[in-house]
Structure formats: C-alpha cells, structure tokens
Amino acid sequence: MDRHMSYVQKHPKVTKDRLAHFMSKNLLQDVNLYAALYDGRVSGAPHVKLEIWAANGLERPTFAVAVKQEYTPVDVGHSFGPSWASHWVRATLQIPEEFADKEVRLLFNPSCEAMVWSETGEPLQGITGGNGQDRHIDYVVTKRAPRLSELQHQPLCIVLYLEVASNGMFGNGDNLIGAPDPNRRFALETADLVVYNHDAWAMYYDLQILKDLADPLPDTPSVRAWQALATANAMINEFELGDPDTIAKARAIGAQFFAAKGGEANHQVYAIGNCHIDTAWLWPYDETKRKIARSWSTQMDYMDRYPEYKFAASQAQQFEWLRVLYPTLFERVKEKVKCGQFIPIGAAWCEFDANLPCGESLVRQFLLGQRYFEKHFGERSKVFWLPDTFGYSSQLPQIVKLAGAKYFFTQKLSWNNINKFPHTTFRWIGLDG
C-alpha cells in the first residue's frame, strides 16, 4: 500500500514544516513568500517622523487635550508604560516619490493597543500590536499616492496621532486571566510606510486557510485535509520570488481547490463579524470605553472598503459610551445601521449574568436595552445575544419574547464539562409555555 502513497502522504510533517517556513517572517524571510508581501518600504525621517507626549499617571486625556501638548522626538525601540499609562504619538508621514499611484499603509506596532486619529480629531482605526493571531498593525494612509507633478513637486505629508494604551488585548496579566502586572512595558517595534503587494497577500491568506485545513494531519482520515496539504505544496513549487506571474499561477492552483463543492445538499453558511467586548473583565471601565472605539472604528473602515461586509455588536451601554465620548464615530455607526452593515443586537442593556439576578432585574435589562435601540436606531433588536454567561434562567424565553426579540444566541452551552447539552439549534419553551 505504501508504494502508492505520495511523498506528501508518507511525510506530512516535512511538508507541513515546509509550508510554515515558506510563510514565516522569522525564518528564510529574505527568500520566501514574506519577502514578496511589500513592494516598497521606508522608515525613519523624513518619511516617518515620530514625536511623543506622555499623559500624567493613569490619565486618559481626550484628543482635544492631547493635541495641545508639547511633543518630543522618539524612535522605534521606545518603551511605553507602565501598565495602563497613555502615550500620544504624533506621526508626520512623507510619502516617497516611488510610492506614486500606489496604496500606502502605515505599519505601527507598539506591542500594545492604540487608536489612530486624524489631524483634525477623527477616530480612524484601532491598532492591536504584538505578534499574536489578533495582531492588526496596518492603517491605509492613502489608497493612491499622488505623483509629485500633481502636488506642485512637493511631497505629500500627512499627520496622524496615535493614542497608545499600555495594555494588551487581555489586560496586563502574565497569562490570559492572571493578575495584572503594574509595571508592564511595551516596545515600539515598527513604524514604517509600506506598499502592499495585494496579490502576494492574497496568496498568503490562501495558504493560511490550506495550512489550517491540513493542521490535523496525519491524525485525521479527512481526504480534504490531504488535498489541502498537496495543494499548498504545489503552490509553493510554483512560486519564484521576483516573478509576479508565478504568484498568479500559484493562486490558480489554490482556486481549483477552493472551487470544489461537496454537493447541492450542503448548507450555505454566512459569516458576520463580531468583536466580543467584556464591559468589565481584565481592565478598568475607562479602558473598556476606549476598546469600544478602537474596535468599532476599525469596523467602519472595513465597511467603507468592503460594502458587502456586515458586523454585529451588542450592549446598549457600550453604544451609549460611544455616543457620549466619541460622538462623530457614533454618527458613523448610525449611518451604517441604516444601510444594514452595522447590526445592533443583544436587546439588553449589557451582557448580564443570568444566574443570580431576579426576574425584575432581567426585565429592566430588556426594558432599558430595547428602549435605547428603538430611540437611537429606529427599531428593537430581534436577537437576544448572550454568548459569554455561564448559565441561563428559565424565565428568559418569556421575558425575551415580551421584549420583542425572537431569537437567542449563545455559545457557552458548549462549555459544559459535566452534562453535555444535547442541542445546537432548538426551540426554548419558557415557564409559561
């Protein structure tokens, strides 16, 4: 039987390692796919001039306050901190002439969280620094850099402010739910202007999907997983650094794999974005408020770039914080609600505990939540969204229905480690029938 097995089947680990090395930014990065991801890159003055102002103590000053302060020069390698401190970075960006006619992005990696602001005080996008799976450090500075002849032969200069928060995605603990380290610090790793090679990035994401599909090998009997690994291997064979045509050929190989269908009876699955933001967990309330703005401004950017993209968010309390603290961003959210891209869900004031509160408390959650959605978005939420509560009161179906919602969504039922819940989709009958 082994005679008829391919090399990929005989040695899946070798091929999986080859795929990982081909995509790595730390190994063989001068000759692998990582070397093709950017068609241009500059750093330092005059193209990226950085200045900094540090807020006092643990204050979180507004843009209006921060923009009036005195800034001092700073370079890559600067250390932000201690834990929960705020730093504002002013970035003066000069687009080089060779980037003309191309989309230019700023890569800014503070190793922690940050918000990109315009020179006039508009919150533009969140930044998640570090090197984890949740990393998001690029901001589109311009979709097309003008030529010098269009600017009277003066280089294009753009000023951005970056509000740096000295905390990670999950606070400042040494692990996911560890106690916070009061003296944690974060290094500014990257501040570059780059030109994305969109075709190379598309190939990267194709390979990432194939890599995930093949990850369980050789412990799975899945034919599709073996096909994914073989497809990735064939794409790598096709690639040659410096020849863009080979990227197109490699992606054509991947396209054949992705075009395969399992049959007409298969379900059609739709994906809608969501970022679950705990109102109170591993960070102060004031950091929750900034997390909301960072997260939802990023979604606004995605919606502008991809009109088909939809995003859902819950908790009237979080919308209210956005309305009060980031009024222009809240108005943008309302516009996206009207066009159907931003979907307010939850029906309640916040994602509450459903074990200890009495029925009166649960009723008030929906009363205040639905009143808020109706006032600001023109209609009540149809989806009761409670994905992260450990237990659900039997009173909920009656209250949810009376509040005008029709559906209940959670994922915590799958966490039960004693009695396995028997259903994923079901009709929940309340105490009143």
Side-chain angles (χ1 to χ4, degrees):
M1 180 177 177
D2 288 350
R3 294 185 305 170
H4 306 293
M5 294 176 67
S6 69
Y7 183 87
V8 171
Q9 290 173 297
K10 288 181 180 180
H11 306 284
K13 184 181 184 304
V14 174
T15 308
K16 289 168 67 175
D17 287 346
R18 183 191 188 210
L19 175 56
H21 296 161
F22 182 70
M23 300 173 66
S24 174
K25 69 172 184 176
N26 299 314
L27 187 66
L28 305 174
Q29 65 270 29
D30 294 331
V31 294
N32 65 10
L33 181 58
Y34 187 83
L37 295 179
Y38 303 103
D39 286 337
R41 189 175 194 134
V42 295
S43 61
H47 301 298
V48 183
K49 178 186 174 184
L50 302 177
E51 301 166 284
I52 192 171
W53 170 72
N56 291 327
L58 301 184
E59 293 180 1
R60 293 174 172 83
T62 63
F63 175 88
V65 171
V67 75
K68 297 176 183 178
Q69 307 305 313
E70 291 187 11
Y71 285 69
T72 58
V74 69
D75 293 315
V76 170
H78 178 80
S79 177
F80 300 111
S83 299
W84 312 119
S86 294
H87 303 258
W88 285 77
V89 175
R90 181 165 60 205
T92 304
L93 310 176
Q94 181 176 306
I95 310 298
E97 184 178 2
E98 61 267 26
F99 286 5
D101 295 323
K102 299 174 182 177
E103 179 187 275
V104 180
R105 301 193 186 195
L106 170 67
L107 297 186
F108 185 82
N109 186 358
S111 301
C112 53
E113 294 190 294
M115 167 74 93
V116 183
W117 292 80
S118 72
E119 188 177 14
T120 57
E122 288 296 320
L124 300 174
Q125 180 197 294
I127 293 287
T128 302
N131 294 293
Q133 290 184 339
D134 49 18
R135 162 182 158 126
H136 181 201
I137 65 168
D138 63 289
Y139 169 73
V140 179
V141 176
T142 177
K143 293 182 178 179
R144 177 191 168 270
R147 301 176 184 178
L148 282 179
S149 59
E150 301 174 55
L151 300 169
Q152 298 181 337
H153 298 282
Q154 295 295 320
L156 174 63
C157 287
I158 296 173
V159 175
L160 297 172
Y161 286 83
L162 298 112
E163 179 188 13
V164 178
S166 301
N167 56 264
M169 174 73 79
F170 295 103
N172 279 314
D174 57 2
N175 55 55
L176 182 59
I177 56 174
D181 176 356
N183 295 308
R184 192 174 175 189
R185 304 195 72 86
F186 304 86
L188 176 57
E189 292 188 2
T190 308
D192 298 344
L193 286 177
V194 298
V195 174
Y196 261 42
N197 182 330
H198 286 279
D199 291 334
W201 274 101
M203 180 177 174
Y204 179 91
Y205 291 125
D206 286 347
L207 288 171
Q208 185 63 57
I209 295 171
L210 295 169
K211 183 174 180 290
D212 290 344
L213 285 169
D215 187 61
L217 294 173
D219 299 326
T220 176
S222 170
V223 173
R224 194 67 171 152
W226 287 109
Q227 291 173 342
L229 187 59
T231 299
N233 194 58
M235 291 174 67
I236 296 172
N237 290 342
E238 194 65 51
F239 174 82
E240 186 166 339
L241 184 63
D243 185 351
D245 290 339
T246 63
I247 294 179
K249 292 176 181 178
R251 292 205 67 212
I253 294 171
Q256 292 180 347
F257 173 87
F258 293 123
K261 295 182 178 179
E264 295 300 324
N266 282 3
H267 293 293
Q268 190 167 18
V269 179
Y270 294 89
I272 296 177
N274 171 255
C275 50
H276 173 69
I277 305 174
D278 287 280
T279 299
W281 191 28
L282 301 174
W283 46 81
Y285 276 126
D286 284 343
E287 201 55 49
T288 305
K289 299 168 185 176
R290 296 203 295 187
K291 282 178 175 286
I292 295 163
R294 290 192 290 261
S295 300
W296 294 358
S297 61
T298 301
Q299 304 311 310
M300 295 298 101
D301 176 59
Y302 287 154
M303 292 176 196
D304 289 341
R305 283 194 271 164
Y306 309 104
E308 73 279 11
Y309 177 64
K310 296 181 185 296
F311 174 81
S314 65
Q315 307 192 72
Q317 173 64 80
Q318 296 189 3
F319 285 98
E320 177 61 6
W321 278 332
L322 194 76
R323 186 188 70 83
V324 173
L325 299 173
Y326 303 87
T328 58
L329 181 54
F330 183 76
E331 290 302 316
R332 291 178 63 197
V333 167
K334 288 178 66 175
E335 289 300 315
K336 296 301 183 182
V337 171
K338 288 180 182 178
C339 72
Q341 284 186 275
F342 198 112
I343 307 169
I345 54 174
W349 187 255
C350 67
E351 292 180 8
F352 53 84
D353 174 65
N355 292 308
L356 297 179
C358 65
E360 176 70 16
S361 175
L362 300 181
V363 167
R364 289 184 180 275
Q365 282 281 350
F366 288 95
L367 173 65
L368 297 176
Q370 292 288 50
R371 180 184 292 171
Y372 189 91
F373 290 131
E374 207 164 43
K375 176 181 178 181
H376 292 284
F377 305 122
E379 62 180 1
R380 299 184 185 185
S381 171
K382 296 293 189 293
V383 178
F384 170 43
W385 179 272
L386 200 61
D388 202 29
T389 290
F390 294 82
Y392 301 91
S393 170
S394 57
Q395 303 173 83
L396 284 172
Q398 180 183 10
I399 297 172
V400 170
K401 185 174 182 180
L402 290 172
K406 297 175 61 178
Y407 309 102
F408 164 61
F409 177 88
T410 184
Q411 54 86 34
K412 267 296 187 286
L413 292 175
S414 65
W415 281 44
N416 198 326
N417 59 2
I418 304 298
N419 302 315
K420 182 176 176 61
F421 194 76
H423 307 295
T424 56
T425 304
F426 58 94
R427 291 186 181 276
W428 190 2
I429 300 175
L431 292 173
D432 62 342

